[in-house]
DNA sequence: CCTTGACCTCAACCATGCTCGAGGTTCTAC
DNA sequence: GTAGAACCTCGAGCATGGTTGAGGTCAAGG
């Protein structure tokens, strides 16, 4: 089989749109060689990169964070299983933390059902929500 | 104490920006009376509504979904604890589902560390990610 | 040769969830 | 009655994660 893949092939195999591949490339998440005429050619490892991108997105990471993680991969060679393992280990911890937060939020929600305290400072739910909000995107808490 | 609150007061107490309140109102998530001169006046229940909005956002709901949930609240009267309980019960289930998905994703991630299968169709991780992607925002999967 | 599909670039657009600024009014306190 | 804070509307702008379309090139088959 051919070693190099065209955008269309990658799109089909990875289940993403061609435009998304262009976008990822523009954002520095994937790279391509070009044929003399300017068409993109990808090594097979791009499929794994894209799979990893999708998994990380599902885990709640932004493309920026994924890009930063990718920046720790070796430039010179195709990343090995070990390289990927390092990334996924970090993300697993992050996922665990996120699961912990959501679980807490759910439990507080359960405990607070009908308690009427939702607008009060003492409510664990409000505070849980605030804590969660802190690591959200954008500066939402303008209260100093 | 006064029964009605100005935007600034609500913003301070709820910990959101005035602009966010304007925005929520434009989106139909909260409502206000107006003074003769056009200034907004809020009933105290707006504080709870905003608290609920923040909790629901932390749980991963969009404003659109929150708005739809709010639409089930009674128009005529201030919502009771029971009304809010109905909402939160639904969201609790939704949270449980999301937690289940993330937990599965994390476990697959753990199982797959270094396995090298990430780009293959058989990988549970890839499929888990695909499943998760389906209910994400926007039409991402263009593959028919 | 010529059509057809795949590819290229670049700019514009979409949704979400807001913020910021301009330009102007109102309220509160001294 | 006047300063300054708080309020108003409306439009533009920002970040994220892409899609869509125009206008043009390239490659493969008949």
């Amino acid at each position: 089989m051919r070693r190099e893949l065209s955008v269309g092939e990658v799109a089909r195999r990875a289940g993403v749109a061609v435009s998304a591949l262009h976008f990822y490339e523009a954002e520095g998440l994937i790279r391509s060689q070009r044929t003399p005429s300017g068409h993109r050619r990808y090594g097979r490892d791009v499929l794994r990169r894209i799979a990893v991108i999708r998994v990380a997105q599902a885990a709640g990471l932004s493309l920026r964070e994924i890009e930063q993680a990718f920046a720790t991969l070796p430039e010179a060679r195709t990343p090995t299983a070990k390289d990927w393992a390092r990334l996924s280990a970090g993300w697993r911890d992050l996922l665990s933390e996120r699961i912990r937060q959501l679980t807490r939020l759910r439990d507080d929600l359960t405990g607070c059902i009908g308690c009427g305290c939702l607008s009060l400072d003492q409510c664990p739910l409000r505070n849980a929500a605030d804590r969660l909000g802190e690591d959200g995107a954008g500066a939402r808490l303008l209260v100093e």
Side-chain angles (χ1 to χ4, degrees), chain A residues 12 21 25 57 65 68-69 83 115-116 127:
Chain A
R12 238 172 301 115
L21 295 178
E25 185 170 328
Q57 280 189 314
E65 292 171 303
Q68 281 161 25
D83 292 322
C115 79
N127 297 318

Side-chain angles (χ1 to χ4, degrees), chain A residues 126-138:
Chain A
R126 285 207 57 193
N127 297 318
D130 285 348
R131 276 196 306 281
L132 277 172
E134 279 165 24
D135 56 58

Side-chain angles (χ1 to χ4, degrees), chain A residues 64-128:
Chain A
R64 218 59 48 220
E65 292 171 303
I66 299 170
E67 188 195 348
Q68 281 161 25
F70 278 5
T72 71
L73 292 173
E75 288 276 326
R77 54 178 171 77
T78 297
T80 63
K82 204 163 187 175
D83 292 322
W84 292 118
R86 198 166 22 77
L87 287 198
S88 51
W91 290 345
R92 190 196 44 201
D93 293 349
L94 201 145
L95 259 174
S96 293
E97 176 57 19
R98 178 71 182 155
I99 289 168
R100 211 185 53 67
Q101 288 178 329
L102 285 184
T103 302
R104 166 158 201 162
L105 182 57
R106 182 192 55 188
D107 293 347
D108 287 344
L109 196 59
T110 305
C112 280
I113 283 182
C115 79
C117 64
L118 211 45
S119 61
L120 302 174
D121 292 343
Q122 304 90 305
C123 179
L125 199 41
R126 285 207 57 193
N127 297 318

Side-chain angles (χ1 to χ4, degrees), chain A residues 7-8 10-21 24 50-51 54 57:
Chain A
V7 254
V10 173
R12 238 172 301 115
R13 288 181 174 228
V16 300
V18 170
S19 60
L21 295 178
Y24 292 155
I50 295 166
R54 315 247 301 147
Q57 280 189 314

Side-chain angles (χ1 to χ4, degrees), chain A residues 5-6 10 14 21 29-32 41-53 78 84:
Chain A
L5 302 165
S6 68
V10 173
L21 295 178
L29 288 163
I30 60 178
R31 262 174 300 175
S32 62
R41 285 296 176 269
Y42 296 96
R44 310 194 70 80
D45 63 316
V46 79
L47 292 176
R48 183 189 280 248
R49 268 179 113 95
I50 295 166
V52 171
I53 291 171
T78 297
W84 292 118

